[in-house]
Amino acid sequence: MQWTLVIPLKPLARAKSRLADTAADGLRPGLALAFAQDTVAAAAACPVVRDVAVVTDDALAGRELAVLGARIVRDEPGGGLNAALAHAAAAVRAARPDSAVAALNADLPALRPAELARVLNAAAQFPRAFLPDAAEIGTTLLAAGPGRELRPAFGEDSRARHRASGAVELDLAGVDSVRQDVDTGADLRTALALGVGPRTAAMAARLLIPGQ
């Protein structure tokens, strides 16, 4: 099964506020963009990913991610993360009604294409499925097979919310790069230990994080 990935990205000026203890205000937008660039590049290199759509109203992010081959979808509803994902999934399926669609976080800078393929191949066995994040509270990927609505429920306690919605929780070993999103300085250090993409690595060097 080939997948279209939908990746939401809020305006860079408002992104990653919880990294304030690690990155100053002037650096956080660049760090958020680097996360998204490395995520999109790895996702596009995944053998079971047909294409990537990024839903964002940020002009700079749109330009930079389009260079990497992403389709940019405007956040027309303006109703928050889940509305943006539902809108982007509908836009994808307007052209390809039978597409398998998965929502993927934009802050997975250590993402490995082979690990993402394992997750998507596992998700293909179910109508809807999700992968919990490394903290086992949130969600980093929500997948819907052909003909199935995505029904995103991201936000606080999204792991429990997606499970309650009927999506199957994927229990997979060896896919740490798909689970390690970055919200805090501790998350970033864990991602760096896994091995991040080149743009995040360059930003981490600017932040003088030990070991970079």
Side-chain angles (χ1 to χ4, degrees):
M1 185 180 293
Q2 292 289 303
W3 294 82
T4 292
L5 298 188
V6 177
I7 298 178
L9 181 63
K10 67 173 60 175
L12 297 176
R14 295 193 285 106
K16 296 301 161 192
S17 59
R18 291 173 61 192
L19 280 170
D21 62 341
T22 302
D25 290 348
L27 292 177
R28 282 201 306 278
L31 193 58
L33 178 58
F35 293 167
Q37 289 173 303
D38 287 335
T39 299
V40 168
C46 177
V48 298
V49 171
R50 174 187 288 163
D51 53 8
V52 176
V54 175
V55 54
T56 186
D57 279 341
D58 191 286
L60 173 60
R63 289 194 302 269
E64 294 296 329
L65 297 173
V67 169
L68 297 176
R71 171 186 175 186
I72 306 303
V73 178
R74 292 294 301 272
D75 182 9
E76 292 180 1
L81 174 58
N82 292 310
L85 286 170
H87 166 68
V92 166
R93 283 181 166 161
R96 291 197 301 272
D98 294 328
S99 289
V101 176
L104 182 72
N105 287 13
D107 57 352
L108 299 169
L111 186 64
R112 301 285 189 272
E115 292 184 15
L116 177 59
R118 286 191 60 218
V119 174
L120 291 171
N121 286 336
Q125 308 305 310
F126 307 100
R128 290 174 65 245
F130 73 96
L131 186 73
D133 65 8
E136 299 188 342
I137 297 171
T139 303
T140 56
L141 180 142
L142 172 68
R148 301 287 180 165
E149 291 186 16
L150 190 60
R151 296 171 57 197
F154 287 87
E156 187 176 355
D157 298 326
S158 66
R159 179 189 185 187
R161 294 167 68 188
H162 283 132
R163 188 190 295 131
S165 77
V168 174
E169 181 172 330
L170 300 174
D171 183 12
L172 299 172
V175 293
D176 292 350
S177 76
V178 196
R179 299 185 64 195
Q180 187 57 62
D181 54 353
V182 176
D183 289 318
T184 67
D187 294 336
L188 178 54
R189 287 170 172 79
T190 300
L192 290 168
L194 288 173
V196 296
R199 298 163 187 85
T200 302
M203 284 298 300
R206 289 183 62 186
L207 295 173
L208 301 179
I209 294 176
Q212 298 304 306

